Amino acid sequence: MTTPPAPREAAGRPEMGRLGSPGSGGCIMTVGVGVIGAGVMGADHARFLATSVAGAALVAVSDPDATRRNAVADAWGVAVRHAEAEALIADDNVEAVVIASPDPTHKAYTLAALAAGKPVLCEKPLATSVADCLDIVAHETAIGRRMIQVGFMRRFDPGYAAMKQALADDRLGAALMLHCIHRNMQAAPYTTSEGLNANSAVHEIDIARWLLGDEVSRALVVTPRASGLAAIRDPQILILTMTGGAVIDAEIFVNAQYGYDVRAELVCERGTVSLLPPSATLIREERREGILHGPDWRGRFADAYRIELQAWIDSLRSGKPAVHGASAYDGYAATAIAEAALKSLGSGLPVDVRLEPRPPLYGTGSG
Ligand code: ISE
């Protein structure tokens, strides 16, 4: 890791440098949040911040595309609009930043926000390479306090949270296996065989580390016959071995056609715990009975996104990192493991994972 320069306090707003620091709790009533990126995820984050996150005010939106920027800002009555993310970060109205712009921009905007003393919720991935993730970790470590939460929202999904709690209750005994299914209807047109890891499988990687509180020691990607409806190597099966010996198998099938479908079953010594189908109702029509699958992850994980944002805002107001929030180190670990999976996809062989030691700033244990 390189040694980054010390961050500067935000000019004219010395209190911004303290937002989220220990002892700041209690004095901050509302956190002014700026959202970078007004695409699919940015629009969703903006909606939650404007409508359902206590203690947050959506104060600014940035996107180079004026139509998108204005659509989101108009929807929530936000007057402050910037074409450039850098201008939003520098804006005195903005005390904290959500980064939901294209993946390759995450690193630069995260570092710019840190330099301005503004905490960040960065959509996954934290950065697109292991070296860039480590650079961000080094900057945050040099500051000496947690300013970054990475948007691994599944940690806040009530189903996964109950699964983690069931494991913690210890009635089930040790976790032996985690079977995961991750199906999208259709991948975005730019998705590549290699991109499946960084874009989709990375959620399974993070949930495995967080749920089991263990690190990944090996990654193997197995490729079944590819779907004729996909232009890429799809599906893929990611097999992760944890240092404690548990094994995770995750089917990643991003052109599954029928709907968005995420499942998980944790198999333990004395029983198993599974996610329920995400529906409060059963539909009967045309001689069939069942539930509806949404077209993508936004509906399935709407609660998770809302709870994640609330936990982030609460953490900024209290000065304590969100208990289940993914840290910059978690963001690095997910990218490093995805990179090992990518190597395995290329070679067909298992690849050992060797993570950099976790700096003390991030506590002990995964998740
Ligand atoms: C997408 O980018 C997400 O982050 C979704 O949560 C995931 O399920 C999907 O596969 C990704 O493409």
Side-chain angles (χ1 to χ4, degrees):
M1 294 185 207
T2 53
T3 308
R8 67 178 171 80
E9 291 287 308
R13 291 287 302 270
E15 76 278 15
M16 288 196 298
R18 295 198 301 269
L19 180 59
S21 62
S24 66
C27 11
I28 301 158
M29 296 310 290
T30 302
V31 180
V33 182
V35 173
I36 298 176
V40 167
M41 284 317 305
D44 246 32
H45 285 310
R47 175 168 60 87
F48 285 126
L49 286 164
T51 61
S52 27
V53 178
L58 176 64
V59 295
V61 175
S62 82
D63 197 294
D65 180 313
T67 309
R68 280 207 307 245
R69 177 172 76 237
N70 289 330
V72 171
D74 287 348
W76 309 115
V78 177
V80 181
R81 303 157 189 210
H82 295 284
E84 304 297 332
E86 290 81 358
L88 178 141
I89 292 166
D91 194 311
D92 278 352
N93 294 290
V94 174
E95 294 171 291
V97 177
V98 170
I99 299 175
S101 45
D103 297 356
T105 64
H106 289 185
K107 179 189 178 186
Y109 298 159
T110 298
L111 292 184
L114 293 196
K118 301 187 182 182
V120 172
L121 175 70
C122 180
E123 262 303 327
K124 62 86 192 163
L126 176 61
T128 50
S129 75
V130 172
D132 282 351
C133 288
L134 284 173
D135 206 14
I136 294 170
V137 167
H139 274 78
E140 192 180 37
T141 309
I143 292 168
R145 66 189 165 84
R146 295 267 300 272
M147 294 188 66
I148 302 168
Q149 186 175 319
V150 180
F152 283 120
M153 78 300 181
R154 287 189 186 187
R155 294 168 172 229
F156 298 94
D157 173 69
Y160 279 111
M163 205 176 236
K164 188 165 172 72
Q165 189 56 51
L167 192 58
D169 288 346
D170 216 23
R171 289 193 315 274
L172 297 172
L176 308 175
M177 293 176 280
L178 177 65
H179 304 301
C180 308
I181 285 180
H182 183 144
R183 297 186 187 140
N184 292 359
M185 270 184 92
Q186 267 163 358
Y190 51 80
T191 307
T192 60
S193 303
E194 293 73 25
L196 247 65
N197 280 296
N199 195 259
S200 297
V202 77
H203 281 290
E204 310 301 333
I205 292 169
D206 181 69
I207 214 71
R209 295 179 64 250
W210 171 78
L211 202 54
L212 302 184
D214 195 6
E215 273 312 346
V216 173
S217 62
R218 195 179 312 135
L220 169 68
V221 174
V222 176
T223 49
R225 173 181 171 160
S227 164
L229 302 177
I232 57 172
R233 195 80 236 184
D234 185 30
Q236 299 179 19
I237 299 171
L238 172 64
I239 300 174
L240 302 173
T241 306
M242 308 303 285
T243 53
V247 171
I248 288 82
D249 58 275
E251 172 201 306
I252 316 293
F253 187 15
V254 296
N255 290 280
Q257 308 297 318
Y258 68 87
Y260 186 72
D261 192 4
V262 165
R263 305 185 208 171
E265 181 183 24
L266 182 64
V267 181
C268 302
E269 290 167 311
R270 283 189 287 277
T272 82
V273 51
S274 302
L275 297 179
L276 282 175
S279 181
T281 52
L282 191 68
I283 294 170
R284 297 186 185 93
E285 61 175 352
E286 298 280 334
R287 290 170 287 111
R288 285 193 202 150
E289 163 169 300
I291 64 160
L292 280 183
H293 287 283
D296 67 31
W297 56 92
R298 283 172 293 169
R300 167 64 183 83
F301 287 112
D303 284 344
Y305 283 115
R306 186 180 44 74
I307 298 168
E308 170 189 64
L309 281 165
Q310 188 65 67
W312 178 59
I313 292 296
D314 291 348
S315 81
L316 302 184
R317 297 170 88 201
S318 70
K320 297 190 193 103
V323 176
H324 294 292
S327 67
Y329 184 84
D330 294 320
Y332 147 69
T335 297
I337 298 160
E339 196 170 280
L342 191 56
K343 281 192 193 136
S344 174
L345 175 68
S347 68
L349 298 171
V351 173
D352 287 340
V353 174
R354 286 195 193 83
L355 296 179
E356 292 290 330
R358 171 189 290 263
L361 180 64
Y362 303 104
T364 53
S366 336

